[in-house]
Amino acid sequence: MRALTLLLLAILGIPLTLGGGYLLSLGGSPFYFISGVVVLIAAWGFIKRQRWSTMVYAAWLLVLLAWSLWEAGLHWWPLSTRLGLPAIIGFIMAIPASRRGLADTPAFAEGKPVLAMSLLSALVAVMGMPFHLHEIEGKLSMEVVNPDAKTGDTAQAEGDWEAYTGSHHGQHYSKLGQITTENVNKLDVAWQIQTGDKKGPGDVHETTYQATPLKIGNSLYLCTPHSMAIALDADTGAEKWRFDAQAGLEKGRQHQTCRGVSFYRGADVTPVAAAVAAVAGAQPAALLEAPVAQASAAPKATMCKDRIFLPSSNAKLFALDAETGKPCEDFGDKGAIDLMHNMPNKQPGYLNPTSPPVVVGDTLIIGHSVNDNYAVESPSGVIRAYDVHTGKLLWNWDSGNPDATEPFDPANPAQVYKASSPNSWTVFSADAELGLVYVPLGNRVPDQLGQYRNEHEEKYTAAVVALDIKTGKLKWHHQTVHHDLWDMDLASQPVLLDLDLEKGRTPALVLPTKQGDVYVLDRRDGSPIHAVTERPAPQGSDIPGEHTVATQPLSALSFEPPKLQESDMWGASLIDQMMCRIQFKKLRYEGRYTAPSLQGTLVYPGNFGTFNWGSIAVDPQRQVMFGMPTYLAFVSTLIPRSELKGDTVMNLGEQGINANEGAGYAVKMHPFLSPIGVPCQTPPWGTVAAADLRTGKIAYQYRNGTIRDLSPIPLPIKVGVPGIGGPLMISSGVAFLGAAVDNNFRAYDVATGKELWNVRLPAGGQATPMTYLNSKGEQMVVLVAGGHGSIGTKAGDYVIAYKLKK
């Protein structure tokens, strides 16, 4: 036992002394070096069987306790990891056998002081268990403000789900309410199928399954990572048809995924257009002048009245007959459009439409992803509109050349879009009555090097733009980051709803961002409803030709975390916590928007984003939001091209080293992790939260998810883990969310944030759930569980439907 005590003291004392000395030389806390020396002194006394050895250690435990409370306050996770190993060593030292030289030798030191201090340390840590960082206690008002609130523009059948988030308003909301806070714990699997489309040995690293099905009539429609479209029976999950786009595998792809398909219901005019015309007393000929009327006068197709549009990873867009799954021969080239038309830099795999297009009237509008940081000269980020019947190009809006909206001629190679202009890879929203589509934009590649951008690209980088659905002309834009050097592209679909404010009912757009800001704007003109201010930003760049801006925007409604301090560093023990502090002191970091650097810059919130493509769920009747703010710092390091070796592995995804071919610097990006692979900042790293959108006030925020699928031992410890995916909210005040990096699917009480239901999934649930009514009128909730290559959750190919037990 004495040998074990000496071993543990050495394991603690030697790293603390050596590492603590290095940390001190970097300007960090002297506590670790002093602690290491004191622990080694206690170990020396133990070797020499000195009575004072346990007293020295007990005194150090008291100082450690006081220092821990001073740095971290009464919070469980920072206290437990600071005090855990030292207290365990103290308990072992208190055992008489550890203080004897031989079996029959009396103890050479008193054990009560070290036992008392170990018990006190454990007690204080336990007292901190109810308290966690980033948590806000509260309750959300569930008062119905507008019982007649719109959930979309089209009059879809009750219980259907016709667009990615229910409608093109992006609300992630359903009026269905059979499932309630009282009975949600009775949900059980109704059916479960496997698509057969699994990640294979030839796939890129970031192969993910993020799809959300549509439900029309008694069919579900969804896509798979390898660009298959599948129709399922909504009652049983039985397959009705399958279409394989034969997209193949290209090693140049950064992502292999599909978030969803789009639906067009064949009709002479849209329901909204008809309603507008009826109110105005218009004749059919006048419908072409209505803001939601047909986008072109092309004759209607005689085949494929109802259409499913499938974006494929080989840069094509397919139109399929919703009834049979066969290509609509009258659309494009025998049912498909090649999205590489008029593109510069046609590198295989560099253009990928990962999100479903938006369909408004007879107009289909689509964007696409462009590989981040692979090459300076990449495909354009142009946004394009096509006729749903013929595939004819109606207009193109290119953020690098925004005034040229007249459609290019796809057969004219001389007409080329602007190379590498800011793109939009996520889901668009649309207001058919206003005649506007809302497009969230990213950056011109490379993300971390801004000297390649023209004035238009600077203007529209990380901005939401409102485009005229008929012409593609810009109506307004709102930028959320100036001169973005941190990959803070707008990843979330904007949410549209009407807010009842003091000035009256106002059409609003709610835009969550990676930084944690939630912008609430008037969607007619982009003016802020809740204040947007400018805040001083860190200055200076060590990259020749680069610059930073003096201020950056900040929304009044924000889930941004506090600026990181050295004391926020975390680890499973004092040792790896100290290693994180060393990393922290070696990185450049002056807060949010610290410029990328050669030494490495800490980016927080990180590239993962506080909010990502999962966006938020909004109840338009109560005018509240529910979401999953995530907190995970990243490190971004610029590498001079002259320092790259010939065998350097690059371009394996967004993380790792990306070449930035054509630029003077490559970039290396990765999460800010300790030597044992856990985040370096104190948890929680993932939360659930709610806010009142009328007041702009956060109601509550609680940690979410466990480390069960992260740790070698499957312990369901509720730390609050990162995640990616979206929520679903229903009218009864229940929210559903998978997303977290544990393989669980959960339901919450929207009013309180309390977890009501929790089931295990056969694979990672990094998709957005949806809900519908089956043919018997029963409410179903569906989630795709296929895992996410970027965050390492378990891969799979499952589609799972739940309903209430009878």
Side-chain angles (χ1 to χ4, degrees), residues 560-583:
E560 74 160 341
K563 177 182 176 182
L564 286 174
Q565 308 291 334
E566 184 191 332
S567 58
D568 294 317
M569 297 302 101
W570 191 78
S573 70
L574 272 178
I575 297 169
D576 53 313
Q577 180 192 111
M578 174 190 67
M579 298 299 292
C580 283
R581 289 187 184 231
I582 290 171
Q583 290 186 64

PDB file of all heavy atoms in Angstrom, residues 560-583:
ATOM      1  N   GLU A 560     -24.312  33.447 -26.945  1.00  0.00           N
ATOM      2  CA  GLU A 560     -22.852  33.376 -26.992  1.00  0.00           C
ATOM      3  C   GLU A 560     -22.307  33.079 -25.591  1.00  0.00           C
ATOM      4  O   GLU A 560     -22.816  33.586 -24.596  1.00  0.00           O
ATOM      5  CB  GLU A 560     -22.246  34.669 -27.535  1.00  0.00           C
ATOM      6  CG  GLU A 560     -22.263  35.840 -26.588  1.00  0.00           C
ATOM      7  CD  GLU A 560     -21.244  36.917 -26.959  1.00  0.00           C
ATOM      8  OE1 GLU A 560     -20.313  36.618 -27.708  1.00  0.00           O
ATOM      9  OE2 GLU A 560     -21.397  38.041 -26.468  1.00  0.00           O
ATOM     10  N   PRO A 561     -21.274  32.263 -25.484  1.00  0.00           N
ATOM     11  CA  PRO A 561     -20.677  31.967 -24.186  1.00  0.00           C
ATOM     12  C   PRO A 561     -19.737  33.082 -23.767  1.00  0.00           C
ATOM     13  O   PRO A 561     -19.282  33.872 -24.602  1.00  0.00           O
ATOM     14  CB  PRO A 561     -19.906  30.674 -24.452  1.00  0.00           C
ATOM     15  CG  PRO A 561     -19.498  30.807 -25.892  1.00  0.00           C
ATOM     16  CD  PRO A 561     -20.635  31.517 -26.580  1.00  0.00           C
ATOM     17  N   PRO A 562     -19.404  33.165 -22.475  1.00  0.00           N
ATOM     18  CA  PRO A 562     -18.420  34.158 -22.040  1.00  0.00           C
ATOM     19  C   PRO A 562     -17.050  33.874 -22.666  1.00  0.00           C
ATOM     20  O   PRO A 562     -16.744  32.741 -23.060  1.00  0.00           O
ATOM     21  CB  PRO A 562     -18.374  33.970 -20.514  1.00  0.00           C
ATOM     22  CG  PRO A 562     -19.604  33.215 -20.165  1.00  0.00           C
ATOM     23  CD  PRO A 562     -19.947  32.388 -21.351  1.00  0.00           C
ATOM     24  N   LYS A 563     -16.232  34.895 -22.749  1.00  0.00           N
ATOM     25  CA  LYS A 563     -14.865  34.742 -23.232  1.00  0.00           C
ATOM     26  C   LYS A 563     -14.126  33.732 -22.352  1.00  0.00           C
ATOM     27  O   LYS A 563     -14.236  33.756 -21.126  1.00  0.00           O
ATOM     28  CB  LYS A 563     -14.153  36.098 -23.192  1.00  0.00           C
ATOM     29  CG  LYS A 563     -12.696  36.057 -23.616  1.00  0.00           C
ATOM     30  CD  LYS A 563     -12.064  37.440 -23.490  1.00  0.00           C
ATOM     31  CE  LYS A 563     -10.577  37.405 -23.822  1.00  0.00           C
ATOM     32  NZ  LYS A 563      -9.948  38.741 -23.663  1.00  0.00           N
ATOM     33  N   LEU A 564     -13.376  32.837 -22.973  1.00  0.00           N
ATOM     34  CA  LEU A 564     -12.629  31.824 -22.225  1.00  0.00           C
ATOM     35  C   LEU A 564     -11.478  32.452 -21.458  1.00  0.00           C
ATOM     36  O   LEU A 564     -10.805  33.376 -21.941  1.00  0.00           O
ATOM     37  CB  LEU A 564     -12.090  30.749 -23.170  1.00  0.00           C
ATOM     38  CG  LEU A 564     -13.092  29.754 -23.738  1.00  0.00           C
ATOM     39  CD1 LEU A 564     -12.422  28.848 -24.753  1.00  0.00           C
ATOM     40  CD2 LEU A 564     -13.748  28.934 -22.640  1.00  0.00           C
ATOM     41  N   GLN A 565     -11.244  31.934 -20.269  1.00  0.00           N
ATOM     42  CA  GLN A 565     -10.109  32.308 -19.434  1.00  0.00           C
ATOM     43  C   GLN A 565      -9.261  31.061 -19.183  1.00  0.00           C
ATOM     44  O   GLN A 565      -9.720  29.935 -19.376  1.00  0.00           O
ATOM     45  CB  GLN A 565     -10.587  32.889 -18.095  1.00  0.00           C
ATOM     46  CG  GLN A 565     -11.597  33.999 -18.208  1.00  0.00           C
ATOM     47  CD  GLN A 565     -11.017  35.268 -18.776  1.00  0.00           C
ATOM     48  OE1 GLN A 565      -9.812  35.524 -18.659  1.00  0.00           O
ATOM     49  NE2 GLN A 565     -11.866  36.089 -19.406  1.00  0.00           N
ATOM     50  N   GLU A 566      -8.047  31.256 -18.708  1.00  0.00           N
ATOM     51  CA  GLU A 566      -7.216  30.103 -18.363  1.00  0.00           C
ATOM     52  C   GLU A 566      -7.911  29.223 -17.333  1.00  0.00           C
ATOM     53  O   GLU A 566      -7.832  27.990 -17.382  1.00  0.00           O
ATOM     54  CB  GLU A 566      -5.860  30.562 -17.836  1.00  0.00           C
ATOM     55  CG  GLU A 566      -4.919  29.402 -17.551  1.00  0.00           C
ATOM     56  CD  GLU A 566      -3.669  29.807 -16.777  1.00  0.00           C
ATOM     57  OE1 GLU A 566      -3.246  30.972 -16.904  1.00  0.00           O
ATOM     58  OE2 GLU A 566      -3.132  28.948 -16.053  1.00  0.00           O
ATOM     59  N   SER A 567      -8.643  29.842 -16.423  1.00  0.00           N
ATOM     60  CA  SER A 567      -9.322  29.085 -15.369  1.00  0.00           C
ATOM     61  C   SER A 567     -10.468  28.236 -15.908  1.00  0.00           C
ATOM     62  O   SER A 567     -10.975  27.360 -15.195  1.00  0.00           O
ATOM     63  CB  SER A 567      -9.851  30.039 -14.294  1.00  0.00           C
ATOM     64  OG  SER A 567     -10.730  30.993 -14.861  1.00  0.00           O
ATOM     65  N   ASP A 568     -10.885  28.466 -17.149  1.00  0.00           N
ATOM     66  CA  ASP A 568     -11.946  27.658 -17.759  1.00  0.00           C
ATOM     67  C   ASP A 568     -11.424  26.338 -18.325  1.00  0.00           C
ATOM     68  O   ASP A 568     -12.219  25.515 -18.782  1.00  0.00           O
ATOM     69  CB  ASP A 568     -12.626  28.434 -18.885  1.00  0.00           C
ATOM     70  CG  ASP A 568     -13.377  29.655 -18.384  1.00  0.00           C
ATOM     71  OD1 ASP A 568     -14.059  29.544 -17.356  1.00  0.00           O
ATOM     72  OD2 ASP A 568     -13.260  30.723 -19.021  1.00  0.00           O
ATOM     73  N   MET A 569     -10.104  26.165 -18.330  1.00  0.00           N
ATOM     74  CA  MET A 569      -9.562  24.925 -18.886  1.00  0.00           C
ATOM     75  C   MET A 569      -9.943  23.755 -17.987  1.00  0.00           C
ATOM     76  O   MET A 569      -9.985  23.872 -16.781  1.00  0.00           O
ATOM     77  CB  MET A 569      -8.058  25.024 -19.052  1.00  0.00           C
ATOM     78  CG  MET A 569      -7.601  26.106 -20.030  1.00  0.00           C
ATOM     79  SD  MET A 569      -8.274  25.923 -21.696  1.00  0.00           S
ATOM     80  CE  MET A 569      -9.601  27.139 -21.671  1.00  0.00           C
ATOM     81  N   TRP A 570     -10.131  22.607 -18.641  1.00  0.00           N
ATOM     82  CA  TRP A 570     -10.722  21.462 -17.951  1.00  0.00           C
ATOM     83  C   TRP A 570     -10.038  20.187 -18.390  1.00  0.00           C
ATOM     84  O   TRP A 570      -9.378  20.131 -19.428  1.00  0.00           O
ATOM     85  CB  TRP A 570     -12.207  21.391 -18.290  1.00  0.00           C
ATOM     86  CG  TRP A 570     -12.990  20.439 -17.459  1.00  0.00           C
ATOM     87  CD1 TRP A 570     -13.433  20.627 -16.190  1.00  0.00           C
ATOM     88  CD2 TRP A 570     -13.452  19.139 -17.851  1.00  0.00           C
ATOM     89  NE1 TRP A 570     -14.138  19.544 -15.761  1.00  0.00           N
ATOM     90  CE2 TRP A 570     -14.171  18.611 -16.760  1.00  0.00           C
ATOM     91  CE3 TRP A 570     -13.320  18.378 -19.004  1.00  0.00           C
ATOM     92  CZ2 TRP A 570     -14.766  17.350 -16.795  1.00  0.00           C
ATOM     93  CZ3 TRP A 570     -13.907  17.120 -19.047  1.00  0.00           C
ATOM     94  CH2 TRP A 570     -14.630  16.619 -17.946  1.00  0.00           C
ATOM     95  N   GLY A 571     -10.170  19.168 -17.600  1.00  0.00           N
ATOM     96  CA  GLY A 571      -9.646  17.854 -17.928  1.00  0.00           C
ATOM     97  C   GLY A 571     -10.155  16.857 -16.910  1.00  0.00           C
ATOM     98  O   GLY A 571     -10.780  17.223 -15.912  1.00  0.00           O
ATOM     99  N   ALA A 572      -9.866  15.595 -17.146  1.00  0.00           N
ATOM    100  CA  ALA A 572     -10.309  14.565 -16.208  1.00  0.00           C
ATOM    101  C   ALA A 572      -9.526  14.617 -14.906  1.00  0.00           C
ATOM    102  O   ALA A 572      -9.934  14.033 -13.903  1.00  0.00           O
ATOM    103  CB  ALA A 572     -10.165  13.185 -16.846  1.00  0.00           C
ATOM    104  N   SER A 573      -8.387  15.301 -14.903  1.00  0.00           N
ATOM    105  CA  SER A 573      -7.560  15.423 -13.703  1.00  0.00           C
ATOM    106  C   SER A 573      -6.805  16.736 -13.760  1.00  0.00           C
ATOM    107  O   SER A 573      -6.831  17.456 -14.770  1.00  0.00           O
ATOM    108  CB  SER A 573      -6.565  14.258 -13.618  1.00  0.00           C
ATOM    109  OG  SER A 573      -5.575  14.399 -14.629  1.00  0.00           O
ATOM    110  N   LEU A 574      -6.103  17.040 -12.678  1.00  0.00           N
ATOM    111  CA  LEU A 574      -5.269  18.234 -12.655  1.00  0.00           C
ATOM    112  C   LEU A 574      -4.214  18.206 -13.754  1.00  0.00           C
ATOM    113  O   LEU A 574      -3.838  19.247 -14.293  1.00  0.00           O
ATOM    114  CB  LEU A 574      -4.555  18.349 -11.303  1.00  0.00           C
ATOM    115  CG  LEU A 574      -5.268  19.081 -10.169  1.00  0.00           C
ATOM    116  CD1 LEU A 574      -4.409  19.034  -8.915  1.00  0.00           C
ATOM    117  CD2 LEU A 574      -5.573  20.521 -10.546  1.00  0.00           C
ATOM    118  N   ILE A 575      -3.773  17.015 -14.132  1.00  0.00           N
ATOM    119  CA  ILE A 575      -2.656  16.914 -15.078  1.00  0.00           C
ATOM    120  C   ILE A 575      -3.095  17.298 -16.485  1.00  0.00           C
ATOM    121  O   ILE A 575      -2.483  18.153 -17.127  1.00  0.00           O
ATOM    122  CB  ILE A 575      -2.057  15.492 -15.051  1.00  0.00           C
ATOM    123  CG1 ILE A 575      -1.469  15.191 -13.663  1.00  0.00           C
ATOM    124  CG2 ILE A 575      -0.979  15.345 -16.120  1.00  0.00           C
ATOM    125  CD1 ILE A 575      -1.091  13.753 -13.453  1.00  0.00           C
ATOM    126  N   ASP A 576      -4.161  16.649 -17.004  1.00  0.00           N
ATOM    127  CA  ASP A 576      -4.562  17.025 -18.357  1.00  0.00           C
ATOM    128  C   ASP A 576      -5.216  18.400 -18.383  1.00  0.00           C
ATOM    129  O   ASP A 576      -5.190  19.089 -19.407  1.00  0.00           O
ATOM    130  CB  ASP A 576      -5.445  15.958 -19.010  1.00  0.00           C
ATOM    131  CG  ASP A 576      -6.642  15.558 -18.187  1.00  0.00           C
ATOM    132  OD1 ASP A 576      -6.484  15.310 -16.983  1.00  0.00           O
ATOM    133  OD2 ASP A 576      -7.737  15.472 -18.758  1.00  0.00           O
ATOM    134  N   GLN A 577      -5.758  18.841 -17.259  1.00  0.00           N
ATOM    135  CA  GLN A 577      -6.222  20.227 -17.176  1.00  0.00           C
ATOM    136  C   GLN A 577      -5.050  21.194 -17.340  1.00  0.00           C
ATOM    137  O   GLN A 577      -5.145  22.198 -18.055  1.00  0.00           O
ATOM    138  CB  GLN A 577      -6.908  20.466 -15.834  1.00  0.00           C
ATOM    139  CG  GLN A 577      -7.425  21.872 -15.636  1.00  0.00           C
ATOM    140  CD  GLN A 577      -7.813  22.117 -14.199  1.00  0.00           C
ATOM    141  OE1 GLN A 577      -7.157  22.880 -13.496  1.00  0.00           O
ATOM    142  NE2 GLN A 577      -8.880  21.476 -13.746  1.00  0.00           N
ATOM    143  N   MET A 578      -3.929  20.859 -16.706  1.00  0.00           N
ATOM    144  CA  MET A 578      -2.729  21.678 -16.853  1.00  0.00           C
ATOM    145  C   MET A 578      -2.245  21.663 -18.296  1.00  0.00           C
ATOM    146  O   MET A 578      -1.830  22.709 -18.840  1.00  0.00           O
ATOM    147  CB  MET A 578      -1.632  21.148 -15.928  1.00  0.00           C
ATOM    148  CG  MET A 578      -0.279  21.829 -16.074  1.00  0.00           C
ATOM    149  SD  MET A 578       0.987  20.932 -15.168  1.00  0.00           S
ATOM    150  CE  MET A 578       1.058  19.403 -16.101  1.00  0.00           C
ATOM    151  N   MET A 579      -2.319  20.500 -18.959  1.00  0.00           N
ATOM    152  CA  MET A 579      -1.911  20.420 -20.353  1.00  0.00           C
ATOM    153  C   MET A 579      -2.789  21.307 -21.234  1.00  0.00           C
ATOM    154  O   MET A 579      -2.313  21.935 -22.184  1.00  0.00           O
ATOM    155  CB  MET A 579      -1.967  18.975 -20.831  1.00  0.00           C
ATOM    156  CG  MET A 579      -1.033  18.028 -20.079  1.00  0.00           C
ATOM    157  SD  MET A 579       0.714  18.495 -20.252  1.00  0.00           S
ATOM    158  CE  MET A 579       0.978  18.144 -21.986  1.00  0.00           C
ATOM    159  N   CYS A 580      -4.082  21.369 -20.920  1.00  0.00           N
ATOM    160  CA  CYS A 580      -4.976  22.267 -21.657  1.00  0.00           C
ATOM    161  C   CYS A 580      -4.601  23.721 -21.407  1.00  0.00           C
ATOM    162  O   CYS A 580      -4.672  24.562 -22.318  1.00  0.00           O
ATOM    163  CB  CYS A 580      -6.425  22.014 -21.255  1.00  0.00           C
ATOM    164  SG  CYS A 580      -7.156  20.528 -21.991  1.00  0.00           S
ATOM    165  N   ARG A 581      -4.199  24.039 -20.200  1.00  0.00           N
ATOM    166  CA  ARG A 581      -3.770  25.413 -19.911  1.00  0.00           C
ATOM    167  C   ARG A 581      -2.519  25.773 -20.711  1.00  0.00           C
ATOM    168  O   ARG A 581      -2.378  26.901 -21.183  1.00  0.00           O
ATOM    169  CB  ARG A 581      -3.503  25.567 -18.409  1.00  0.00           C
ATOM    170  CG  ARG A 581      -4.758  25.555 -17.549  1.00  0.00           C
ATOM    171  CD  ARG A 581      -4.429  25.882 -16.109  1.00  0.00           C
ATOM    172  NE  ARG A 581      -5.601  25.792 -15.258  1.00  0.00           N
ATOM    173  CZ  ARG A 581      -5.993  26.745 -14.416  1.00  0.00           C
ATOM    174  NH1 ARG A 581      -5.310  27.867 -14.330  1.00  0.00           N
ATOM    175  NH2 ARG A 581      -7.051  26.591 -13.667  1.00  0.00           N
ATOM    176  N   ILE A 582      -1.637  24.802 -20.851  1.00  0.00           N
ATOM    177  CA  ILE A 582      -0.424  25.053 -21.653  1.00  0.00           C
ATOM    178  C   ILE A 582      -0.816  25.336 -23.097  1.00  0.00           C
ATOM    179  O   ILE A 582      -0.321  26.295 -23.714  1.00  0.00           O
ATOM    180  CB  ILE A 582       0.530  23.843 -21.551  1.00  0.00           C
ATOM    181  CG1 ILE A 582       1.131  23.764 -20.140  1.00  0.00           C
ATOM    182  CG2 ILE A 582       1.638  23.939 -22.591  1.00  0.00           C
ATOM    183  CD1 ILE A 582       1.919  22.494 -19.875  1.00  0.00           C
ATOM    184  N   GLN A 583      -1.707  24.504 -23.643  1.00  0.00           N
ATOM    185  CA  GLN A 583      -2.180  24.764 -25.007  1.00  0.00           C
ATOM    186  C   GLN A 583      -2.826  26.137 -25.107  1.00  0.00           C
ATOM    187  O   GLN A 583      -2.602  26.880 -26.070  1.00  0.00           O
ATOM    188  CB  GLN A 583      -3.201  23.699 -25.423  1.00  0.00           C
ATOM    189  CG  GLN A 583      -2.645  22.308 -25.645  1.00  0.00           C
ATOM    190  CD  GLN A 583      -3.718  21.385 -26.191  1.00  0.00           C
ATOM    191  OE1 GLN A 583      -4.227  21.583 -27.293  1.00  0.00           O
ATOM    192  NE2 GLN A 583      -4.089  20.383 -25.409  1.00  0.00           N
TER     193      GLN A 583
END
